[in-house]
Amino acid sequence: MTVFSFWGKIVDMISVYTLKNWYFEKIKEKYRVWGNISGNDNFQDGQWVHTSFITKLEVGWGALHIYTENSEYLAKYAEHDELDKRVLRRALRDFLWPNDVTVFNKIEQSEQRKKEKQKKADDPDAYRNCAILTFSSDILNHFVSLELRQGKKIYKRVDYDIQRGMFEDAFVLSDPKMDYAFRFFPFGKNAYQFDEWKGKFTPVFIRNIGQEPFYASTVYGDFVISPNSTVLISVRKSEERMNTTLDDDTITDKTNVLSHASIHMK
């Protein structure tokens, strides 16, 4: 929060951040919001976070302005994630009545338009360049291959023989000449946390060719990839996002990053 003097008075300037793929969560009688944050120097763009408790909601042009004690968040209707339909209705009623029904309907209409656009973006063939990381629960070390696509064709496929040793805590797949870098490490059964990937081969998809679900914790959120499926890992993709629980739901006085340790696997 920035403080400055205006005509001899002390004025508090509330920082405004943007949330994408946002949804409400109710804890006892209070609400907070989850989403991919942008515009906050404390977090990487697209980092998956939850806010502190909400103090006020206001209706903007096609968006909600969400206020907490120290921050303001802009949450566009088109960026809403439908995970919270019941909680969303209650939050809008508690903060915006009698305009809550109108706002709820506008959010639903925006969601439908968003779904139509996203259907076209869920296939690697829709991108000129991309990367596909393939995993399988049926092999010893899970990781199968990295496929790099350029010009909608397979530019290079690299199969890795990764040996998970007692003292190895991370897998690094990189080539500076080809401009890609991926780093990830296991933290549970079929579960890996990924550092932010770097290089020109984006967006990134994760493919699961195994017989069990695969779990990926990333800066864009936490995802479950069903057997024999391919999921786009990005700010825009939220249908496969996991349910989560936190160790302490009562202490929420600031915006926090979701830790992989808090993931509740389905």
Side-chain angles (χ1 to χ4, degrees):
M1 181 168 58
T2 303
V3 180
F4 71 99
S5 178
F6 183 69
W7 289 346
K9 296 181 179 180
I10 301 298
V11 180
D12 292 345
M13 291 295 292
I14 296 179
S15 302
V16 182
Y17 311 120
T18 301
L19 291 175
K20 294 184 177 181
N21 300 312
W22 55 273
Y23 64 84
F24 280 90
E25 179 183 34
K26 188 171 185 180
I27 300 174
K28 295 182 179 178
E29 297 304 316
K30 296 183 178 181
Y31 299 92
R32 65 184 180 190
V33 180
W34 290 85
N36 299 102
I37 194 169
S38 297
N40 188 327
D41 293 338
N42 295 322
F43 305 105
Q44 299 176 19
D45 268 5
Q47 184 83 55
W48 184 243
V49 302
H50 72 72
T51 70
S52 55
F53 287 133
I54 297 169
T55 58
K56 183 175 65 172
L57 288 184
E58 289 182 351
V59 179
W61 185 261
L64 287 177
H65 291 263
I66 301 169
Y67 295 86
T68 62
E69 183 177 354
N70 297 312
S71 300
E72 177 186 350
Y73 301 86
L74 183 67
K76 294 183 179 180
Y77 298 160
E79 297 294 344
H80 177 250
D81 190 308
E82 60 181 352
L83 292 172
D84 66 343
K85 282 300 175 66
R86 294 178 112 188
V87 178
L88 175 65
R89 279 185 179 274
R90 295 174 67 180
L92 295 178
R93 182 187 61 199
D94 290 349
F95 286 103
L96 297 177
W97 187 89
N99 299 318
D100 54 309
V101 175
T102 301
V103 174
F104 182 84
N105 290 338
K106 288 182 177 179
I107 292 174
E108 279 204 318
Q109 292 168 7
S110 297
E111 283 177 3
Q112 293 304 315
R113 290 192 292 268
K114 178 183 175 183
K115 283 183 179 180
E116 292 174 2
K117 292 180 180 179
Q118 283 186 343
K119 285 180 182 179
K120 300 177 181 179
D122 293 347
D123 191 331
D125 291 335
Y127 296 89
R128 183 168 182 80
N129 297 335
C130 70
I132 304 173
L133 289 159
T134 301
F135 292 82
S136 173
S137 59
D138 303 321
I139 64 173
L140 178 62
N141 296 311
H142 296 173
F143 183 73
V144 177
S145 67
L146 169 63
E147 185 176 296
L148 305 174
R149 293 192 177 192
Q150 192 169 36
K152 295 189 177 182
K153 295 181 179 179
I154 298 177
Y155 178 67
K156 188 169 185 178
R157 178 187 166 105
V158 187
D159 297 306
Y160 288 89
D161 181 19
I162 296 177
Q163 301 298 321
R164 280 177 66 173
M166 183 180 300
F167 303 104
E168 186 175 31
D169 62 352
F171 303 142
V172 180
L173 317 173
S174 66
D175 187 336
K177 293 182 179 179
M178 293 185 64
D179 191 19
Y180 71 84
F182 298 91
R183 183 177 182 271
F184 52 94
F185 59 91
F187 65 88
K189 182 182 178 182
N190 303 334
Y192 287 81
Q193 178 160 333
F194 293 79
D195 285 356
E196 184 178 22
W197 30 74
K198 300 177 182 179
K200 65 182 179 182
F201 293 96
T202 57
V204 174
F205 292 81
I206 293 181
R207 177 173 290 159
N208 180 9
I209 61 173
Q211 300 303 309
E212 298 179 12
F214 176 80
Y215 302 91
S217 179
T218 78
V219 296
Y220 300 112
D222 297 285
F223 298 82
V224 56
I225 297 91
S226 302
N228 300 309
S229 65
T230 302
V231 171
L232 170 65
I233 307 297
S234 79
V235 171
R236 300 191 309 275
K237 187 70 175 177
S238 56
E239 286 83 353
E240 283 78 14
R241 190 157 286 144
M242 282 187 250
N243 293 329
T244 60
T245 57
L246 296 181
D247 294 334
D248 189 350
D249 280 334
T250 61
I251 303 175
T252 53
D253 59 346
K254 62 180 181 178
T255 301
N256 288 323
V257 176
L258 172 65
S259 166
H260 68 269
S262 66
I263 292 175
H264 174 66
M265 297 181 183
K266 294 179 180 179

